[in-house]
Amino acid sequence: MYDKYWNPDPEILFCHEIPSFFDDKEHISVIVTNYNYENYIIECLESISNQTYNNLSLIIVDDNSDRFESIEIISDWMNKNKHRFISMKFLKNSMNQGPSASRNTAIMHSLSEIIFIIDADNTIMRTAISKLYNCLNRTNAQGVYCQIAKFGDQNQIGSADLWDPTEMFHKNYVDVMAMIKKSAWSQVGGFSHIEDGWEDYDFWLKFIDNNIDMVFLPEILCRYRVHESSRTATEAYKHHDDLAIIMRYRHPEQPKTKE
């Protein structure tokens, strides 16, 4: 429905649940996608576990990592930290599917209406989930994002700004580290697979196509790791011009300029 037609059901490597909490409207699912990020993922998971917000579920999808260390490290961490979360699931794709299919798989296995998305090489500040959730509750938006700080090979502030469909049509300044409603994800058909990257940009443009609003929380709450093995560095940068054409083809209706 949402992605590659050859997307098989994932293998469930770990599952721990406290069913009595699933009806809690303030229950939030954090989804993490991993592919050979065994050197980074524990830092990511620790930042999630250390959140000031309590009612969290955690869903990790490994996109068929070809280094066993990823599976072993994640499984060990989840077993040690299972009592921190309402629910924990560790899923493994039987073949490499890419980030879009992995995110869709995680969201389909989530049991909450509110979702927070993060890749395994990134981290979040201790109050990120709480502040994003409070902001979402104060608005009628279907999602909220914040400013990011880049670290690793770069050290600088991100380029996030107010949600403006006209500006978003020209360039993406909203990272995939965001909190959204599962109903909005379903309305746009989930993440779409794009061979060389920009799935997150395509996802936000689908929000615009469907008149779904996002809100910007102007506070640095998420940390984006810049490194040479990231997909942005290895694929999207090389195929920038081709991807720009794909975006215009997939989203031909430019929003009207605000007067």
Side-chain angles (χ1 to χ4, degrees), residues 2-259:
Y2 296 104
D3 215 286
K4 297 180 179 180
Y5 62 86
W6 62 87
N7 184 18
D9 290 335
E11 179 183 0
I12 300 175
L13 300 181
F14 185 93
C15 182
H16 175 76
E17 298 178 339
I18 306 176
S20 60
F21 286 91
F22 287 162
D23 293 331
D24 190 338
K25 293 182 179 179
E26 297 184 342
H27 170 209
I28 298 172
S29 295
V30 180
I31 70 164
V32 181
T33 52
N34 175 72
Y35 178 70
N36 288 339
Y37 279 161
E38 65 274 2
N39 292 331
Y40 304 131
I41 191 166
I42 295 304
E43 187 177 357
C44 172
L45 296 178
E46 288 291 337
S47 75
I48 298 168
S49 179
N50 290 333
Q51 289 298 294
T52 58
Y53 195 88
N54 290 323
N55 297 341
L56 296 178
S57 285
L58 177 65
I59 304 171
I60 304 172
V61 176
D62 182 83
D63 196 17
N64 196 31
S65 292
D66 54 21
R67 296 196 290 266
F68 181 73
E69 293 90 337
S70 283
I71 303 300
E72 189 175 32
I73 288 171
I74 294 168
S75 297
D76 184 61
W77 187 91
M78 294 185 83
N79 189 55
K80 291 178 180 177
N81 291 273
K82 60 186 178 183
H83 299 296
R84 162 65 178 89
F85 298 90
I86 294 171
S87 170
M88 296 178 82
K89 290 182 182 179
F90 184 20
L91 311 174
K92 182 180 182 298
N93 293 333
S94 60
M95 61 180 70
N96 186 266
Q97 294 288 300
S100 288
S102 297
R103 290 167 187 157
N104 290 336
T105 294
I107 294 173
M108 283 187 284
H109 279 81
S110 70
L111 299 172
S112 65
E113 168 62 4
I114 308 299
I115 308 294
F116 180 79
I117 304 166
I118 183 171
D119 292 335
D121 53 340
N122 298 326
T123 67
I124 51 178
M125 310 300 191
R126 290 189 72 246
T127 58
I129 299 295
S130 178
K131 288 183 176 181
L132 289 168
Y133 180 65
N134 288 338
C135 182
L136 188 65
N137 275 343
R138 293 195 304 267
T139 69
N140 292 320
Q142 298 299 297
V144 56
Y145 59 98
C146 64
Q147 188 59 270
I148 65 172
K150 296 182 180 181
F151 72 110
D153 291 346
Q154 295 180 16
N155 288 284
Q156 62 188 61
I157 304 302
S159 57
D161 206 338
L162 296 174
W163 180 258
D164 185 328
T166 301
E167 291 300 318
M168 282 291 291
F169 183 84
H170 296 293
K171 65 176 181 179
N172 182 29
Y173 51 82
V174 180
D175 191 78
V176 76
M177 272 187 289
M179 184 174 289
I180 62 170
K181 293 184 179 179
K182 189 174 182 178
S183 54
W185 166 84
S186 179
Q187 183 178 339
V188 303
F191 286 88
S192 297
H193 175 74
I194 298 174
E195 192 63 33
D196 296 312
W198 286 20
E199 292 97 338
D200 52 342
Y201 188 21
D202 178 73
F203 186 65
W204 300 133
L205 289 177
K206 289 199 289 184
F207 270 49
I208 294 171
D209 293 343
N210 286 271
N211 296 313
I212 299 175
D213 285 330
M214 294 280 286
V215 64
F216 173 49
L217 177 60
E219 186 172 347
I220 299 173
L221 298 172
C222 299
R223 301 174 71 238
Y224 177 89
R225 188 187 303 270
V226 180
H227 57 98
E228 61 182 11
S229 59
S230 69
R231 192 160 182 252
T232 300
T234 58
E235 297 295 334
Y237 181 79
K238 292 187 297 183
H239 299 279
H240 179 277
D241 292 342
D242 291 340
L243 289 168
I245 293 171
I246 291 171
M247 290 300 107
R248 297 291 78 81
Y249 176 79
R250 290 177 58 81
H251 309 278
E253 294 297 326
Q254 182 174 3
K256 295 180 179 179
T257 304
K258 294 181 179 179
E259 298 181 358

